[in-house]
Amino acid sequence: MSQSKNLFLVGGAKLLGLAVQFFTIRLFFDILGKTGFGVCSALVNLQRFVLLADLGLPESTNRQMAAAWASGDDQQGLRVWNTHKRIALVAGSLMVVIYGLLSLFYPLHQVELGTSRKVLLFLLAGIYTALTYGIYTYGSWFSSRRQFGPVATAALWMSVGGATLSAGLVWWLRSQEAYFIGFSTGAALGLLSLYRRRRQELSSRSTPSFDPDVFKEAKRFGIRALANKLSGAIGNGADRIIIHQQLGEGAIGVYNVSARAPEAAADALPLYQIISPELVGAHAKGPEQFSRAIDSSLRTALLVGICGILVPCAFGFGFLPYLLGRSFDATLPWVMAGIGAYRMFETLYSAVAVIIYANGNPEKIIPFTLWNGFATLFLSLPAVTWRGLEGIVIMNLGIMVLQFVPLLRMTLRTCAPDLPRRALLTTFALMIGVGTGIGLGAFEFARYAYGQGIGWVSLLTAPLFSGLTLLVLVKTKLAKAPEFLARRVPFLR
C-alpha cells in the first residue's frame, strides 16, 4: 500500500473520530458545565508529563523494529518486539501510579471534590492514559511493518467508541468519572482489537522475552531521546498548566475546545507512523535514498499542515459557537486560528524530528526542544498576565517561528547535505504565504457568516478553501499532490 493510501486510511479513521467527538463536546459542556469539563481537560493535559514514565526507551525499540523489518530479519524484529512490549507494560503501570500520586497535591480551584473522589478521578485518568499508551505500543508492531488497517480500527474504537460511550455515561451519571470511564472503555476495546490481530501474526514465542542487547541499545538511545521528550512536554504542556492555575478550570476548558480542532487535525494526520518506517528503510539503503526520502517527507508534511490544519482552523466562527454555547467568546476563533498556525509549523517540526531520529542522532534536536520548552516555561505566566488566552497563542507561535529556519537548516546540513537548502527554504516560505493568505480569507468569510446569523453555512465551504489551497500549491509547482489524489483528479497531476 502506498504512503498516500496509508495516510488516507489512518487519517480517515481519526477524522471520523474527530467528528464524533465534536458532536459530544456540547453535551459535555451542557451537563458537566464549563468548570466540570475543565477538570477533565486539566487532567488530560497532565498526560504530556506522565508519558515521560517510559524514559524514551520505546523510541529506540520502535526504530530497531522498523530497521529489522526493513532488512528482512524477522527474528531480530521479534526480539525487539518482546522487549518493547515489556518496557511499555512497566511504563503503563507507572503512569497509573503517577496519576494517583498527583491527586495528593495537584490543585483544583473552581470545584470542590472530596479526597476519595479526587483520588478516584485521577486514577481513572491514569488508567485512560495507560490504555491509550498501550494502543500506541501495540500499534507500533503494525505501523513498523506498514500494516495500517489494524491501527485504523483501533483508532476508531478509541475515538468513536470512546466518545460515544463517554457521552452516554455522562448523560446517565452526570459526573467527570463517567467521562474517563467511557473513553477508557473505548481505548480498552481498541487495544483488544490490536492484541487479537497481533496474535495472528508472526509467533514470538521462540525468541527471548527480554533481550539485554536490545534493552542496552534502548537505554543508550532512549536517554538522549528523553531530553527531547521532556522539553517537548514542557513546550506543549507548561502553558496549559499555567492557564489552569491562573485562570481556573473554566478557562482551560474553553481553551482546550478551541485547540481541539488544530490538535485533532494534527493527530488525524499520522505522519510519524507513515514516514518513520520509510525514512528508517531509506537510511539503511544509503545517503542518496535517504536524501530523496527527506525531501519527500518534508514537502508532504508542510502540504498536509497547510491544507489539513492551517486553513480548516480558520473556521472558528463556524462551529465554536455551537460547541461552546453560552461559553462562546468572540476572541476564541482567533485563538483557534493561531493554534492552527502553530500546529502547521509543528507538523513540519515533527517530520524533522523523525528525520533526525531515523539518522540515529536525536541529540541534534535537543537545543531546539530546550529552547521551545524553557521559553514556554518562563514566558507562559507573563503571556497569560498580558493577554490571557490570546497571549499564550502569540507566545507559542513566536517561539515556533523563531526556531523554524535554524532547525530546518541544521537538519538538512546534518542529514541531507546534498539537498539545496536555500531553494527548499524559499519554497516552504512561499507555501506558508499562500496558505496564510487563503486562511485569512476563510477566517473573514466565517466571521461575516457568523455576523449574519448563519455561521454554520461557512463550515460547508471549509473543504473548498482547503481544496483551493491544494490546487494553488500544486499548480504553482510548490508542492506535489498526494499520489492517491493525483490518480483520481487529473488536473492535480
Side-chain angles (χ1 to χ4, degrees):
M1 185 179 289
S2 67
Q3 174 176 320
S4 55
K5 282 188 176 180
N6 288 329
L7 181 63
F8 182 77
L9 179 65
V10 183
K14 291 190 175 183
L15 283 174
L16 179 58
L18 168 62
V20 173
Q21 289 183 42
F22 273 127
F23 278 112
T24 61
I25 283 175
R26 180 61 180 268
L27 181 144
F28 294 142
F29 263 86
D30 288 345
I31 294 179
L32 300 177
K34 184 166 69 172
T35 56
F37 180 73
V39 171
C40 299
S41 297
L43 297 191
V44 171
N45 288 340
L46 294 174
Q47 285 184 350
R48 292 174 172 83
F49 297 95
V50 176
L51 288 170
L52 296 172
D54 68 7
L55 302 179
L57 301 181
E59 272 75 7
S60 172
T61 48
N62 276 328
R63 182 176 181 271
Q64 292 181 64
M65 257 197 300
W69 303 136
S71 65
D73 190 346
D74 286 351
Q75 285 302 306
Q76 176 62 14
L78 292 171
R79 283 192 291 272
V80 176
W81 165 252
N82 281 336
T83 305
H84 172 75
K85 67 181 182 180
R86 281 161 177 79
I87 291 172
L89 178 62
V90 173
S93 301
L94 282 174
M95 291 170 191
V96 180
V97 173
I98 292 171
Y99 259 104
L101 295 174
L102 285 172
S103 69
L104 302 178
F105 61 85
Y106 187 77
L108 301 175
H109 299 285
Q110 295 174 306
V111 293
E112 291 292 335
L113 297 176
T115 302
S116 60
R117 188 181 175 200
K118 185 179 179 184
V119 172
L120 174 61
L121 195 58
F122 272 75
L123 286 175
L124 288 173
I127 291 170
Y128 170 56
T129 301
L131 288 169
T132 56
Y133 182 75
I135 286 179
Y136 294 125
T137 297
Y138 265 80
S140 64
W141 165 273
F142 299 100
S143 60
S144 66
R145 295 168 62 83
R146 304 192 185 189
Q147 299 172 354
F148 291 88
V151 179
T153 300
L156 285 174
W157 276 115
M158 183 170 61
S159 55
V160 177
T164 304
L165 290 167
S166 183
L169 288 172
V170 166
W171 179 81
W172 180 32
L173 299 174
R174 266 35 183 197
S175 69
Q176 290 94 342
E177 290 88 342
Y179 177 90
F180 286 110
I181 291 171
F183 275 107
S184 295
T185 304
L189 292 171
L191 179 58
L192 180 61
S193 72
L194 288 173
Y195 174 77
R196 294 180 62 182
R197 178 62 185 270
R198 160 68 191 96
R199 291 180 65 86
Q200 300 172 12
E201 298 281 338
L202 293 170
S203 173
S204 60
R205 294 180 180 178
S206 61
T207 57
S209 59
F210 186 86
D211 192 316
D213 291 334
V214 171
F215 185 67
K216 183 178 179 180
E217 171 63 17
K219 286 196 299 181
R220 184 186 68 81
F221 189 92
I223 294 303
R224 291 183 290 163
L226 182 61
N228 293 331
K229 292 188 67 174
L230 175 60
S231 300
I234 295 173
N236 287 299
D239 54 346
R240 301 195 188 209
I241 291 178
I242 296 296
I243 290 171
H244 177 209
Q245 297 302 317
Q246 292 296 310
L247 304 180
E249 283 79 34
I252 193 59
V254 296
Y255 181 82
N256 274 7
V257 172
S258 302
R260 185 69 185 119
E263 292 176 348
D267 291 341
L269 305 168
L271 288 172
Y272 177 82
Q273 296 95 322
I274 301 301
I275 68 176
S276 180
E278 177 183 344
L279 284 166
V280 171
H283 182 267
K285 296 177 182 177
E288 185 177 348
Q289 288 273 34
F290 193 45
S291 292
R292 284 202 294 266
I294 288 173
D295 184 66
S296 172
S297 297
L298 288 174
R299 291 175 186 270
T300 298
L302 188 56
L303 180 67
V304 166
I306 292 171
C307 300
I309 302 176
L310 177 66
V311 175
C313 289
F315 288 88
F317 276 105
F319 61 87
L320 284 181
Y322 300 96
L323 293 179
L324 297 172
R326 292 188 299 271
S327 301
F328 175 74
D329 183 277
T331 62
L332 294 177
W334 290 100
V335 171
M336 178 175 155
I339 297 173
Y342 174 81
R343 291 293 172 182
M344 179 268 295
F345 276 106
E346 192 171 60
T347 301
L348 190 58
Y349 182 90
S350 298
V352 167
V354 175
I355 290 167
I356 292 174
Y357 275 56
N359 199 45
N361 47 3
E363 70 280 355
K364 294 290 186 181
I365 204 172
I366 287 178
F368 300 95
T369 54
L370 288 175
W371 152 256
N372 192 9
F374 285 101
T376 302
L377 183 64
F378 291 112
L379 294 177
S380 289
L381 182 56
V384 166
T385 305
W386 171 47
R387 292 193 63 175
L389 300 183
E390 290 178 290
I392 287 290
V393 173
I394 294 170
M395 176 202 72
N396 282 329
L397 193 54
I399 291 171
M400 181 62 76
V401 170
L402 285 175
Q403 71 178 2
F404 171 66
V405 173
L407 172 65
L408 200 56
R409 288 176 63 89
M410 180 278 296
T411 303
L412 295 177
R413 184 177 64 252
T414 302
C415 304
D418 55 322
L419 285 180
R421 294 192 292 273
R422 184 181 295 274
L424 198 58
L425 287 169
T426 301
T427 298
F428 287 171
L430 291 172
M431 290 175 67
I432 293 170
V434 170
T436 301
I438 297 177
L440 286 173
F443 185 90
E444 290 301 325
F445 176 74
R447 181 161 62 170
Y448 172 79
Y450 171 73
Q452 300 300 310
I454 53 172
W456 62 272
V457 173
S458 67
L459 295 180
L460 302 177
T461 66
L464 299 179
F465 277 93
S466 289
L468 174 63
T469 310
L470 174 64
L471 181 63
V472 172
L473 292 175
V474 170
K475 287 303 181 181
T476 55
K477 300 189 183 303
L478 292 173
K480 183 179 179 182
E483 181 184 341
F484 77 96
L485 277 179
R487 286 203 307 268
R488 291 167 174 79
V489 186
F491 60 85
L492 287 179
R493 295 173 184 168

